[in-house]
């Protein structure tokens, strides 16, 4: 079938929204009509060359839609199901899956990095040859084919624009707070960066009953959304953030999250943490980034420095749990959405994200004929 997709042809170039051919799903694969897809910094990291990728590629790794066809051997997903796409599918059989760390499953590493289906081939193509799928997804297209393992069925009561955000920002942030840091009632939490992921950490910390949630961002415009989602304080990143946090918390925060992915901010996060507290890196700098740690300082202070990938989530459990929390009014995911776009406006959506416009941008697709 013919589909419309946002295709990346070169580093530093705008995406081209154009017609591609989409092949039928093979064994173990499914086709979706996309309902909504989010715009994430990780997509831009591919566009800018920070994350190297084979080209051309359809970007987009945060989306949800309706199943319209299933390949041979697909039993757990049926035409008509609504699914959230996951950029870390898991096998359920490996060491990590058996140790309740499905987010660390290594089974699909090669096709995930190569941007192919599991058999090493692509379902998108143009006149010149195959076009790759970012994270085995490529969900900035009105229709996509993906492996069944990348799909998590979700309650149809959850709107597509909410379901889409479960596929990256919300789960990454809420899961970092609940699964990895295990924020609990009364905790004092500092969050560096109030973009889609930082705001989701704030939502998660609020759900956990944190007493203080201090949002830190370089853009004063971020304050309104941060407070709407549960921040009790906002600190302008241009100020002396360490002094502000000590003034608010006395000894430093119980939990500090870095949600930007910058070495300097990751290093600073350690200074914002109280002795015995935990620093969780959620943002991602370049693949080979390193920081200097105050080694004696860490011995003396017993500060725990760790990371969290994709909210340390079990996607089949957490996408549905967070979707239900939205329906119950416990996670105001709708307030995370800053702007809505058509696929043709994808380059504007990316520019708006880069210029620091508050909240997440979401692409909405036509839900007309199948
Ligand atoms: Zn993402
Ligand atoms: Zn596994």
């Amino acid at each position: 079938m013919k589909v419309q997709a946002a295709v990346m042809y070169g580093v530093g170039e705008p995406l081209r929204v154009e017609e591609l051919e989409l092949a039928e799903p093979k064994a173990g694969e499914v086709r979706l009509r996309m309902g909504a897809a989010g715009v994430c910094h990780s997509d831009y990291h591919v566009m800018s060359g920070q994350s190297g990728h084979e080209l051309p590629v359809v970007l987009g790794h945060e989306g949800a839609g309706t199943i319209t066809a299933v390949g041979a051997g697909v039993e757990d997903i049926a035409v008509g199901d609504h699914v959230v796409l996951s950029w870390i599918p898991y096998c359920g059989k490996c060491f990590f899956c058996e140790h309740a760390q499905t987010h660390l499953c290594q089974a699909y590493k090669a096709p995930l990095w190569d941007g192919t289906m599991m058999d090493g081939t692509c379902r998108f193509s143009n006149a010149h040859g195959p076009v790759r799928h970012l994270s085995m997804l490529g969900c900035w297209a009105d229709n996509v084919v993906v492996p069944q393992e990348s799909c998590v069925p979700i309650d149809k009561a959850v709107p597509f624009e909410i379901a889409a955000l479960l596929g990256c920002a919300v789960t990454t942030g809420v899961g970092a707070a609940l699964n990895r840091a295990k924020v609990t009632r009364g905790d004092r939490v500092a969050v560096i960066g109030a973009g889609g992921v930082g705001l989701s950490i704030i939502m998660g910390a609020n759900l956990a009953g944190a007493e203080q949630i201090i949002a830190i961002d370089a853009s004063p415009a971020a304050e309104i959304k941060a407070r709407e989602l549960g921040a009790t304080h906002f600190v302008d990143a241009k100020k002396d953030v360490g002094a502000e946090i000590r003034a608010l918390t006395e000894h430093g925060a119980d939990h500090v999250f870095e949600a930007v992915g910058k070495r300097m901010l990751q290093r600073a996060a350690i200074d914002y943490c109280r002795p015995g507290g935990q620093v969780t890196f959620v943002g991602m700098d370049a693949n080979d980034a390193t920081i200097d740690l105050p080694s004696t300082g860490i011995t003396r202070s017993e500060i725990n420095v760790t990371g969290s990938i994709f909210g340390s989530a079990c996607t089949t459990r957490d996408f549905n749990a967070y979707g239900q929390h939205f329906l119950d009014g416990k996670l105001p995911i709708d307030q995370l959405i800053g702007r809505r776009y058509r696929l043709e406006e994808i380059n504007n959506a990316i520019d708006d994200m880069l210029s620091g416009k508050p909240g997440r941008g979401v692409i909405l697709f036509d839900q007309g004929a199948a």
Side-chain angles (χ1 to χ4, degrees):
M1 69 186 287
K2 304 282 185 206
V3 301
Q4 289 290 315
V7 189
M8 173 183 169
Y9 283 95
V11 168
E13 294 174 14
L15 302 180
R16 280 192 238 160
V17 178
E18 61 185 23
E19 192 172 270
L20 296 179
E21 183 66 32
L22 179 66
E24 290 296 306
K26 292 191 181 177
E29 298 171 1
V30 300
R31 189 177 71 215
L32 285 79
R33 186 175 66 243
M34 293 303 300
V39 180
C40 177
H41 266 98
S42 300
D43 297 294
Y44 178 71
H45 289 161
V46 179
M47 292 177 70
S48 70
Q50 179 178 320
S51 304
H53 204 284
E54 294 287 330
L55 302 176
V57 58
V58 177
L59 299 182
H61 63 280
E62 178 181 88
T66 308
I67 301 290
T68 54
V70 301
V74 174
E75 287 173 357
D76 298 336
I77 302 172
V79 170
D81 284 355
H82 288 191
V83 299
V84 179
L85 295 175
S86 168
W87 54 270
I88 304 187
Y90 68 88
C91 72
K93 294 179 289 215
C94 71
F95 173 89
F96 299 99
C97 288
E98 285 186 345
H99 289 78
Q101 293 176 314
T102 56
H103 59 292
L104 300 179
C105 177
Q106 308 288 306
Y108 307 114
K109 218 172 171 182
L112 282 171
W113 283 99
D114 290 346
T116 65
M117 295 293 103
M118 250 111 83
D119 65 359
T121 65
C122 303
R123 300 295 162 267
F124 290 125
S125 62
N126 62 17
H128 305 288
V131 177
R132 289 171 192 259
H133 309 239
L134 184 70
S135 303
M136 299 204 288
L137 304 174
C139 59
W140 290 351
D142 53 13
N143 290 269
V144 300
V145 168
V146 302
Q148 60 180 340
E149 290 87 340
S150 302
C151 295
V152 177
I154 185 112
D155 188 335
K156 287 181 184 170
V158 179
F160 283 126
E161 62 180 22
I162 304 297
L165 299 191
L166 295 172
C168 186
V170 167
T171 296
T172 298
V174 174
L178 301 185
N179 293 332
R180 189 72 179 127
K182 297 188 178 2
V183 172
T184 48
R185 187 159 296 281
D187 278 350
R188 293 158 302 176
V189 174
V191 181
I192 304 171
V197 170
L199 291 171
S200 296
I201 296 170
I202 290 169
M203 262 197 296
N206 190 43
L207 180 65
E211 183 186 299
Q212 274 186 355
I213 304 174
I214 306 163
I216 301 143
D217 200 281
S219 165
E223 177 168 0
I224 296 171
K225 280 254 172 258
R227 287 190 184 272
E228 275 175 8
L229 289 163
T232 56
H233 300 79
F234 183 87
V235 175
D236 185 332
K238 290 182 277 297
K239 292 191 174 165
D240 182 344
V241 177
E244 299 269 335
I245 288 177
R246 279 186 295 280
L248 288 167
T249 61
E250 192 179 356
H251 301 294
D254 301 302
H255 283 282
V256 184
F257 295 88
E258 202 277 352
V260 181
K262 287 214 166 87
R263 278 160 270 201
M264 270 174 54
L265 300 176
Q266 291 171 333
R267 176 61 191 83
I270 296 164
D271 297 333
Y272 306 159
C273 190
R274 71 160 171 84
Q278 178 164 316
V279 174
T280 307
F281 295 162
V282 186
M284 276 190 257
D285 203 322
N287 283 342
D288 59 355
T290 59
I291 58 170
D292 282 325
L293 295 174
S295 57
T296 306
I298 285 180
T299 305
R300 289 205 171 110
S301 67
E302 296 193 347
I303 287 173
N304 188 13
V305 180
T306 188
S308 177
I309 182 76
F310 206 2
S312 315
C314 176
T315 50
T316 45
R317 176 195 69 195
D318 293 346
F319 286 177
N320 280 287
Y322 302 160
Q324 191 59 48
H325 286 335
F326 167 75
L327 295 174
D328 295 344
K330 292 185 193 162
L331 280 180
I333 299 170
D334 51 334
Q335 296 189 42
L336 189 63
I337 299 172
R339 295 158 309 285
R340 295 171 177 83
Y341 305 90
R342 315 267 320 155
L343 183 62
E344 301 76 53
E345 300 170 305
I346 186 68
N347 289 305
N348 301 336
I350 292 160
D351 288 345
D352 287 346
M353 174 180 71
L354 296 177
S355 69
K357 288 204 178 159
R360 196 72 153 180
V362 178
I363 311 290
L364 297 179
F365 296 90
D366 253 338
Q367 289 303 295

